Amino acid sequence: MASSRSTQWLIGCGVGCAVLVVLVILAGAGGVAWIRSTLVGFEQAEQSHAALEEALGEAADYVPPPDGAIAPERMEIFLTVRDETGDARRGVEAFFDSIPLTEEAARELEREGVLKKIGAALRITRAAVGFAGDLGELYAARNAALARLGMGPGEYLYIYLLAYQSFLGHPPDDGPGGESREEVEVDLGRDMRRTRGRVRDDLVAILGNQVEAIDAAGRADLAELRSALLAEIEALERNRWRVPFAEDLPRSVRDSLEPYRERLEASYSAAASPFELGEPQRRGGLSVQVE
């Protein structure tokens, strides 16, 4: 992806300097209170995540059914969680809709006068303020719904990856920008990059648990699936960006997801996807760089 110095200057100096002015104003008009309330929100999300793991186990502890199929009642729980986190996802989407994510959009803003740049900076800053709150709300709402409905983080991760990536075909590196993703580089910060590796590790552990479940149940009829699981574990260990079961999703899983295709597609968000399986963190951060 070629670098554009003018675009970087716009984001880093043109709009960035205006954002700095707006932030200084905000700091004198309740900014400290907002920062405190945001940290409290993330602290509550962290606490709810810890409570969820204590009650239902860590993600890597989840053991799928031997054949991997997702029961209808578990799909209904998953989709209920998606519904209850919808508002927070829309807030995340609104943030990325408010900033120039393509070189063309950045150049267009660069040609504007100083007052319009400051106005754009104000809109971006307001969106950024809301984004932090929406991200904390996303984690808190997800954790609360999972705990209330009795679905652990591992089962949620398992269904999320197989439904959205393996079944519907959304890429693991999906994110803000949609079809313009080739023009956008979104640096999610050290904590979010670490999440990508953790999610892969958790899925590898979950699939390993499924192999053990097949063995414990003495399911000779699942010998072919067992071999496919071992091959998938090896492939995922080589490539964290791999779509699980990219070549052939097990029929038992596909059949259990097919009745929910439309509802799953409607509940997916490309912009929120980098954060969906994250864990609440009050450290690190997010920056957006257009190249």
Side-chain angles (χ1 to χ4, degrees), residues 138-159:
L138 175 63
Y139 295 140
R142 180 199 64 192
N143 296 342
L146 288 173
R148 189 182 77 256
L149 297 170
M151 177 174 284
E155 186 177 7
Y156 185 77
L157 179 149
Y158 175 79
I159 298 176

Side-chain angles (χ1 to χ4, degrees), residues 40-50 135-137 139-140 143 280:
V40 168
F42 272 87
E43 182 175 334
Q44 291 173 342
E46 284 182 305
Q47 292 172 350
S48 66
H49 183 80
L135 196 55
E137 181 184 342
Y139 295 140
N143 296 342

Side-chain angles (χ1 to χ4, degrees), residues 163-239:
Y164 293 126
Q165 295 182 11
S166 308
F167 180 62
L168 294 180
H170 295 291
D173 61 345
D174 211 357
E179 295 181 357
S180 300
R181 222 171 29 250
E182 70 276 5
E183 300 181 24
V184 184
E185 177 180 328
V186 179
D187 181 357
L188 300 177
R190 184 173 60 253
D191 289 330
M192 292 306 298
R193 289 195 298 273
R194 187 182 299 119
T195 293
R196 291 168 171 168
R198 178 189 56 77
V199 167
R200 187 273 312 270
D201 292 345
D202 285 342
L203 181 60
V204 165
I206 288 169
L207 297 183
N209 296 341
Q210 187 178 349
V211 171
E212 292 179 2
I214 292 174
D215 293 342
R219 295 289 299 274
D221 59 311
L222 297 178
E224 186 176 344
L225 175 59
R226 185 182 187 280
S227 296
L229 288 168
L230 292 174
E232 186 60 34
I233 288 170
E234 183 178 351
L236 286 167
E237 287 176 336
R238 289 197 306 267
N239 178 14

Side-chain angles (χ1 to χ4, degrees), residues 69-80 82 159 163-164 167-168 252-268:
I70 304 164
E73 59 270 20
R74 307 313 290 176
M75 283 301 305
E76 290 295 340
I77 289 175
F78 177 83
L79 289 166
T80 297
R82 302 300 294 167
I159 298 176
Y164 293 126
F167 180 62
L168 294 180
S252 56
V253 178
R254 181 175 297 278
D255 288 348
S256 65
L257 292 171
E258 187 62 50
Y260 304 94
R261 179 184 290 273
E262 292 186 5
R263 292 171 66 188
L264 286 167
E265 194 67 81
S267 67
Y268 179 75

Side-chain angles (χ1 to χ4, degrees), residues 122-143:
L122 180 59
R123 291 193 299 274
I124 292 171
T125 303
R126 285 174 176 167
V129 170
F131 172 77
D134 287 324
L135 196 55
E137 181 184 342
L138 175 63
Y139 295 140
R142 180 199 64 192
N143 296 342

